[in-house]
Amino acid sequence: MLSRTAENLFWMARYMERAEATARLLTMGQRMAILPGAHHRDEWRSVVRATGAGHRFPEGSSVTESDAVSFLMLDLDNASSIRSCLLKARANAKSARTMLTQDMWEALNEGWRKLDSYDVGEARQQLPALIDWVKTRVMTFRGAAHSGQLRNEGHDFLRAGSALERAQMTLRLLDVKYYVLLPETEVIGGNRDHYQWTSVLYALSGARAYHHVYGGTYTPWQITDFLMLNRLFPRSVAYCYDQLAYRLNRLAGWHDAKGPCHDTVKDLVAGLESQDSGEIFRRGLHETVQNGLMMTNRLGAEIAQTYHFG
């Protein structure tokens, strides 16, 4: 396979996952913003900060829901906005058209300019419906790939890109929770803290799966363990690392060669396997999340280097 085609598939999957991740961040921001005292905690700044773009809004100024919706959903100058991600995913798909099924292409192509017609006021008014539309588009694309694409190296590049971006999504959502708590650590364990932690689960569609594992007990350390360490939940960081290791090992077989990315992903898997229950929360959630984000960024760069992207 040409490295250019592999790069298109890898990034197409990343952009689709990123669009869904941003939609889930907006959902989480909405849920947290309705809590009492939210305007004092500046919940929307926490959401923007978790995308790595907090510097775009000056410290000391409040970030409103309109600001967040404009920046994270519609702004073409923001490379990670939902609108930007869908456009870039489609552009990558056009360049790798022969590797896609008809259903995959239609999932990317249908309504691809939908967000062009919205201003921020209309987007705010229809935010839940727009978020559902984005999630449906991404899930339709994912289902089409799962049910119809050949299980060749193209599929492995697609799934590797998806797993890498999904790991980052879960890490970033956990970071939103960390930033929200910074100004008011005294509420840890209270009703508001409980609601915020369950908001993280709902944003990741993990509430029912968590209940199956832990029953009706919701604690910060158990939720952290579930989202970081549970190897059966498909949005946990551990599951995503396992998927990355599996896909990269398959690619090593296709190409009969390994690179630094294979050692890095092996270390990431082993690092989470060595964690005991509650250890991440005790050692420091923010530090763990930031290290995870740094390492996944490094892994992405190493994959690009190994397979000669760009």
Side-chain angles (χ1 to χ4, degrees):
M1 173 182 286
L2 294 173
S3 60
R4 181 64 179 167
T5 302
E7 182 179 12
N8 285 325
L9 291 168
F10 182 78
W11 276 102
M12 176 179 60
R14 290 198 67 174
Y15 284 130
M16 291 298 281
E17 282 288 336
R18 191 174 298 178
E20 183 184 10
T22 306
R24 289 176 181 276
L25 276 171
L26 285 167
T27 297
M28 187 172 169
Q30 272 199 318
R31 289 179 64 89
M32 289 188 173
I34 65 175
L35 291 173
H39 61 288
H40 295 304
R41 299 190 304 276
D42 206 0
E43 307 276 21
W44 287 109
R45 178 177 294 280
S46 303
V47 171
V48 171
R49 185 184 284 150
T51 68
H55 62 281
R56 297 284 293 270
F57 295 89
E59 288 295 334
S61 64
S62 63
V63 179
T64 66
E65 181 179 349
S66 292
D67 293 331
V69 170
S70 175
F71 182 68
L72 296 178
M73 179 168 278
L74 302 176
D75 191 353
L76 285 177
D77 291 330
N78 173 16
S80 293
S81 74
I82 293 172
R83 188 177 170 198
S84 291
C85 287
L86 293 179
L87 291 175
K88 289 177 181 176
R90 184 178 182 274
N92 278 277
K94 285 179 69 177
S95 298
R97 180 69 181 86
T98 57
M99 299 296 295
L100 308 183
T101 68
Q102 183 63 28
D103 288 339
M104 290 170 70
W105 173 248
E106 288 177 0
L108 281 162
N109 209 39
E110 184 181 341
W112 67 279
R113 302 204 60 157
K114 180 181 177 74
L115 295 180
D116 292 359
S117 62
Y118 282 84
D119 61 30
V120 65
E122 293 169 328
R124 273 192 69 198
Q125 259 188 338
Q126 301 182 43
L127 189 58
L130 285 175
I131 287 171
D132 284 344
W133 176 80
V134 173
K135 289 163 67 176
T136 299
R137 292 266 56 77
V138 177
M139 287 188 279
T140 302
F141 169 79
R142 192 182 295 133
H146 178 75
S147 62
Q149 192 181 32
L150 288 173
R151 269 34 178 188
N152 55 17
E153 60 179 312
H155 185 74
D156 288 325
F157 278 115
L158 188 85
R159 293 293 296 273
S162 178
L164 183 70
E165 197 68 38
R166 186 176 288 189
Q168 290 194 329
M169 173 183 74
T170 300
L171 290 165
R172 291 190 184 283
L173 282 167
L174 284 168
D175 227 21
V176 173
K177 173 57 185 164
Y178 167 81
Y179 281 122
V180 162
L181 272 184
L182 275 178
E184 47 168 351
T185 53
E186 70 275 5
V187 304
I188 292 176
N191 289 335
R192 188 156 64 212
D193 182 56
H194 171 85
Y195 187 88
Q196 289 170 345
W197 275 108
T198 54
S199 292
V200 180
L201 286 175
Y202 280 110
L204 289 166
S205 300
R208 182 160 295 187
Y210 174 90
H211 189 271
H212 182 79
V213 175
Y214 289 104
T217 304
Y218 293 90
T219 65
W221 47 92
Q222 286 179 334
I223 293 174
T224 299
D225 282 353
F226 179 72
L227 296 179
M228 289 291 297
L229 305 179
N230 189 288
R231 309 196 98 79
L232 300 180
F233 178 56
R235 294 190 184 277
S236 78
V237 177
Y239 184 94
C240 293
Y241 286 172
D242 286 345
Q243 280 293 301
L244 277 161
Y246 175 69
R247 296 298 166 183
L248 290 176
N249 281 333
R250 277 177 55 91
L251 287 169
W254 291 112
H255 292 262
D256 195 25
K258 290 189 175 184
C261 60
H262 295 88
D263 294 328
T264 297
V265 77
K266 184 178 178 180
D267 290 341
L268 288 172
V269 170
L272 288 187
E273 282 180 339
S274 67
Q275 301 284 339
D276 294 328
S277 176
E279 187 174 347
I280 290 173
F281 201 81
R282 290 192 300 271
R283 287 187 173 184
L285 175 59
H286 180 60
E287 292 75 11
T288 301
V289 165
Q290 288 300 306
N291 183 65
L293 288 170
M294 179 189 72
M295 292 300 293
T296 51
N297 284 333
R298 172 179 155 184
L299 179 60
E302 289 175 347
I303 291 171
Q305 177 188 26
T306 300
Y307 296 104
H308 311 293
F309 294 172

